[in-house]
């Protein structure tokens, strides 16, 4: 992907009408853009920040059916998510893995309850199952989870779900869209909607925030896939529009791998706030969370609340022999869930759920809200099918059910560089040709100078945050170490992108300010 080249394509086709404009570069928007371009629609995606800047880079890193939704009786949602889980693992093998989970059980009732429940989970997964659930003894549970408290433990229930790297997945979707003829632009903010006869939407007014230049882009349909910011686009269409987003914040903490000492993850099904708690191995660290806190105000850089951090530490301490303390936290990250309320009764909380909703305004604006990463693909399919039924675009068949996101060499499936898909071999060759590029950006982070260079040339990183937070996962893995590495990353970027020493200083300072949100 080359941002300058794609803007040049946009400028050279300034008078053309696109088929689809997608507003929003998170999981949902990128999924829609890829679905659209692979159906043969002329497609452009515009994102006001970076790809997956918000919710889509701050998930629990799971590709899952949702065990807790099964407990809530939402069987359809679980079936849909399990099917999509299987497809996602097949379509993006370089970014997804089959993860074993263990539920520690302390009563005979829980043994029966979770064994039966997870057998049903297996049945719903059908041929896309990742492995059968089963009960294991107390001894085997403690062997698998050495840091688990043994007091009162009856055993464990093993089950399987998927795990992935969320922001790397987003970048892979953007790259796949571009390779298939679409245009995807980050730091390109939609500031208004173009309307034609009868008030029907005919495109958008947008601003390139990097070059500070305005554009008018025309299309047959505009799709609002902006997540927690969906109401802002709805208000551009109709200043009297009802708010439909009820945002909720989820917080995770990242700990050293020694707090789990296992390749298996822990799932605690009962917590004080009614959510499940996960402790999951991820890139050698442990991601623990999450919380569920309703919010009134939203921002691009949400901040964890003290009570959320304390809740995770307190709950983890109940189950871990070596309990994590505040000083052990390597990073804290908060994400916002775009929970969708009923547009006909937006004040009702009954309809708020992880289910997605598709709304078509009188102007023809298509808005999709809610949902989760696991179901991004079917959400995209349904959104475009709805636009077809509304007569906004011509009928074309979805092809993404078995669409490989990136070409990946299976011989390198164990390589750490597999996260770059087909780019892994290019990075390896860079280091082979220039061994000095194999130097790490920090002692405690795995990423090398070659990776930063490759990212600058291929993945549309505009600033240092793009690289340390989303192209690599440095900021989430170790926030303090990321601050130390910021100057090295900024210097490499400056050489690649043609920036001066002042830019390096400004970027380093911005990272120092940003890191404060992650080391509270």
């Amino acid at each position: 992907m080359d941002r300058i080249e794609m803007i040049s394509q946009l400028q050279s086709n300034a008078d053309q009408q696109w088929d689809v404009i997608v507003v929003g570069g998170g999981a949902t928007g990128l999924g829609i853009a890829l679905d659209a371009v692979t159906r043969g629609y002329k497609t452009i995606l515009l994102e006001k920040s970076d790809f997956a800047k918000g919710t889509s880079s701050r998930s629990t890193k799971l590709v899952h059916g949702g065990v807790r939704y099964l407990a809530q009786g939402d069987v359809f949602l679980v079936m849909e998510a399990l099917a999509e889980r299987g497809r996602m693992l097949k379509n993006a093998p370089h970014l997804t893995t089959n993860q074993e989970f263990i539920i520690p059980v302390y009563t005979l009732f829980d043994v029966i309850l979770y064994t039966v429940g997870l057998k049903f989970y297996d049945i719903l997964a059908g041929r896309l199952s990742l492995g059968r659930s089963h009960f294991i003894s107390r001894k085997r549970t403690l062997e698998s989870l050495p840091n688990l408290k043994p007091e009162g433990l009856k055993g464990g229930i093993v089950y399987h779900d998927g795990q992935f790297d969320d922001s790397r997945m987003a970048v892979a979707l953007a790259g796949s869209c571009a390779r298939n003829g679409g245009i995807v632009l980050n730091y390109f903010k939609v500031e208004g909607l173009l309307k034609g006869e009868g008030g029907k939407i005919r495109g958008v007014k947008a601003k390139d925030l990097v070059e500070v230049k305005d554009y008018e882009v025309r299309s047959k349909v505009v799709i609002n896939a902006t997540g927690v910011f969906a109401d802002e686009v709805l208000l551009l269409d109709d200043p009297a529009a009802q708010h439909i987003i009820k945002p909720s914040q989820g917080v995770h903490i990242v700990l050293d791998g020694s707090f789990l000492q296992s390749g298996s993850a822990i799932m605690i099904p009962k917590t004080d706030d009614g959510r499940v708690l996960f402790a999951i191995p991820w890139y050698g660290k442990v991601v623990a969370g999450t919380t569920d806190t309703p919010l009134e105000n939203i921002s691009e850089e949400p901040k964890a609340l003290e009570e959320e951090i304390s809740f995770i530490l307190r709950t983890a301490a109940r189950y871990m022999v070596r309990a994590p303390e505040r000083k052990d936290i390597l990073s804290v990250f908060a994400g916002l869930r775009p929970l969708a309320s009923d547009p006909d009764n937006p004040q009702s909380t009954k309809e708020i759920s992880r289910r997605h909703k598709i709304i078509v305004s009188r102007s023809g604006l298509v808005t999709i809200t809610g949902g989760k990463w696991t179901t991004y693909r079917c959400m995209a399919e349904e959104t475009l099918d709805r636009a077809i039924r509304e007569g906004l675009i011509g009928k074309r068949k979805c092809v993404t059910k078995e669409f490989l996101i990136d070409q990946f060499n299976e011989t390198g499936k164990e390589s750490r560089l597999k996260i770059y898909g087909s780019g892994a071999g290019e990075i390896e060759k860079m280091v082979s040709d220039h061994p000095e590029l194999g130097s790490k950006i920090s002692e405690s982070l795995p990423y090398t100078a070659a990776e930063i260079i490759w990212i600058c040339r291929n993945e549309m990183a505009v600033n240092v945050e793009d690289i340390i937070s989303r192209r690599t996962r440095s900021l989430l893995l170790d926030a303090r170490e990321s601050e130390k590495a910021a100057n090295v990353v900024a210097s490499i970027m400056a050489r690649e992108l043609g920036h001066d020493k002042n830019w390096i200083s400004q970027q380093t300072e911005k990272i120092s300010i940003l890191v404060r949100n992650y080391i509270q």
Side-chain angles (χ1 to χ4, degrees), residues 177-225:
C177 184
R179 285 192 299 275
N180 282 276
I183 290 180
V184 288
L185 290 169
N186 53 355
Y187 298 98
F188 223 96
K189 184 179 181 181
V190 170
E191 297 185 325
L193 300 173
L194 300 174
K195 293 190 176 182
E197 187 178 339
K200 296 297 182 181
I201 290 178
R202 291 293 177 260
V204 301
K205 298 176 183 177
K207 182 186 292 289
D208 177 358
L209 299 179
V210 177
E211 298 298 330
V212 194
K213 183 174 180 179
D214 294 322
Y215 291 82
E216 289 191 353
V217 189
R218 288 168 173 76
S219 69
K220 295 175 182 176
V221 62
V222 174
I223 299 175
N224 173 16

Side-chain angles (χ1 to χ4, degrees), residues 336-348:
L336 303 181
R337 301 183 187 95
L339 303 184
S341 62
D342 182 354
D344 297 321
N345 187 12
Q347 301 309 312
S348 170

Side-chain angles (χ1 to χ4, degrees), residues 128-152:
L128 293 172
S129 173
L130 300 182
R132 299 185 66 176
S133 60
H134 58 279
F135 174 80
I136 58 174
S137 67
R138 179 180 187 273
K139 180 182 178 182
R140 282 192 58 196
T141 301
L142 292 173
E143 287 173 350
S144 298
L145 300 170
N147 198 30
L148 187 68
K149 284 185 177 180
E151 291 82 9

Side-chain angles (χ1 to χ4, degrees), residues 380-518:
E381 181 179 359
E382 289 179 29
T383 302
L384 286 166
D385 285 350
R386 177 66 181 276
I388 291 169
R389 289 198 304 273
E390 296 287 336
L392 300 170
I393 47 177
K395 186 175 182 179
R396 293 180 182 178
K397 187 179 178 181
C398 173
V399 299
T400 57
K401 283 185 179 179
E402 297 180 353
F403 181 84
L404 196 63
I405 303 302
D406 194 358
Q407 296 300 319
F408 173 62
N409 186 349
E410 280 294 316
T411 60
K413 63 182 178 181
E414 300 304 321
S415 167
R416 185 185 62 78
L417 297 178
K418 69 180 182 178
I419 60 174
Y420 301 104
S422 55
E426 296 173 19
I427 296 171
E428 288 174 347
K429 188 175 187 308
M430 287 172 66
V431 175
S432 176
D433 293 344
H434 304 281
E436 70 277 8
L437 297 181
S439 61
K440 296 200 296 184
I441 62 172
S442 147
E443 288 184 12
S444 302
L445 295 169
Y447 308 105
T448 64
E451 289 167 75
I452 308 306
I453 293 170
W454 187 88
I455 289 167
C456 288
R457 295 175 182 176
N458 295 278
E459 294 191 338
M460 292 176 64
V462 170
N463 54 51
V464 174
E465 182 197 336
D466 294 345
I467 289 184
I468 69 164
S469 182
R470 290 172 292 278
R471 306 303 187 278
T472 74
R473 307 318 306 271
S474 303
L475 188 59
L476 271 59
L477 295 174
D478 192 328
R480 292 176 182 84
E481 198 64 28
S482 295
E483 183 175 14
K484 295 177 187 177
N487 188 263
V488 174
V489 174
S491 298
I492 294 171
M493 289 189 75
R495 288 195 296 271
E496 284 295 313
L497 303 179
H499 298 304
D500 59 18
K501 290 183 179 179
N502 286 336
W503 184 88
I504 295 173
S505 298
Q506 291 167 1
Q507 287 293 305
T508 304
E509 178 60 28
K510 284 180 180 179
I511 295 302
S512 294
I513 294 170
L514 176 68
V515 161
R516 293 170 197 165
N517 269 1
Y518 293 77

Side-chain angles (χ1 to χ4, degrees), residues 36-321:
V37 77
T38 53
R39 292 193 198 207
Y41 297 121
K42 291 183 293 184
T43 304
I44 182 167
L45 177 144
L46 305 175
E47 162 57 47
K48 69 176 180 179
S49 298
D50 187 31
F51 306 122
K53 157 72 175 177
T55 304
S56 297
S57 63
R58 302 161 191 260
S59 73
T60 312
K61 321 306 177 194
L62 296 181
V63 188
H64 64 136
V67 172
R68 76 184 183 96
Y69 307 133
L70 189 60
Q72 295 168 359
D74 200 340
V75 175
F76 176 78
L77 178 60
V78 175
M79 288 180 66
E80 178 181 69
L82 285 171
E84 291 302 316
R85 179 191 71 176
R87 292 180 180 123
M88 194 164 165
L89 265 70
K90 287 184 177 180
N91 294 342
H94 63 303
L95 293 171
T96 57
T97 56
N98 183 336
Q99 176 63 54
E100 179 181 272
F101 289 77
I102 300 175
I103 302 176
V105 285
Y106 295 86
T107 68
L108 182 59
F109 176 78
D110 283 347
V111 172
I112 297 170
L113 176 66
Y114 298 124
T115 299
V116 172
L118 287 166
K119 286 296 181 186
F120 188 43
Y121 195 63
D122 294 344
I123 291 169
L124 293 177
R127 62 183 180 82
L128 293 172
S129 173
L130 300 182
R132 299 185 66 176
S133 60
H134 58 279
F135 174 80
I136 58 174
S137 67
R138 179 180 187 273
K139 180 182 178 182
R140 282 192 58 196
T141 301
L142 292 173
E143 287 173 350
S144 298
L145 300 170
N147 198 30
L148 187 68
K149 284 185 177 180
E151 291 82 9
L153 183 70
K154 301 296 183 186
I157 313 297
V158 174
Y159 75 98
H160 292 258
D161 252 327
Q163 187 187 51
F164 79 133
D165 185 328
D166 47 14
S167 69
R168 289 298 320 171
M169 182 70 179
V171 173
L173 291 172
S176 190
C177 184
R179 285 192 299 275
N180 282 276
I183 290 180
V184 288
L185 290 169
N186 53 355
Y187 298 98
F188 223 96
K189 184 179 181 181
V190 170
E191 297 185 325
L193 300 173
L194 300 174
K195 293 190 176 182
E197 187 178 339
K200 296 297 182 181
I201 290 178
R202 291 293 177 260
V204 301
K205 298 176 183 177
K207 182 186 292 289
D208 177 358
L209 299 179
V210 177
E211 298 298 330
V212 194
K213 183 174 180 179
D214 294 322
Y215 291 82
E216 289 191 353
V217 189
R218 288 168 173 76
S219 69
K220 295 175 182 176
V221 62
V222 174
I223 299 175
N224 173 16
T226 53
V228 292
F229 299 101
D231 286 334
E232 293 183 9
V233 179
L234 286 169
L235 290 171
L236 290 178
D237 176 39
D238 178 5
Q242 292 273 17
H243 286 241
I244 61 170
I245 297 297
K246 298 291 184 182
S248 171
Q249 177 164 282
V251 166
H252 299 79
I253 65 172
V254 179
L255 304 165
D256 185 74
S258 60
F259 283 94
L260 197 55
Q261 302 175 42
S262 177
S264 300
I266 302 175
M267 197 272 263
I268 306 300
K270 296 177 182 176
T271 65
D272 293 344
D273 76 344
R275 289 188 65 82
V276 300
L277 184 85
F278 292 101
I280 305 167
W282 192 63
Y283 289 140
K285 309 297 184 186
V286 180
V287 175
T290 181
T291 59
D292 192 7
T293 308
L295 293 182
E296 289 297 324
N297 300 310
I298 59 176
S299 69
E300 286 190 6
E301 195 58 57
K303 186 175 181 179
L305 304 175
E306 178 60 38
E307 53 265 35
E308 293 176 303
I309 299 171
S310 298
F311 163 76
I312 296 172
L313 291 172
R314 186 172 64 249
T315 305
R318 293 177 184 172
Y319 296 90
M320 292 182 173
V321 174

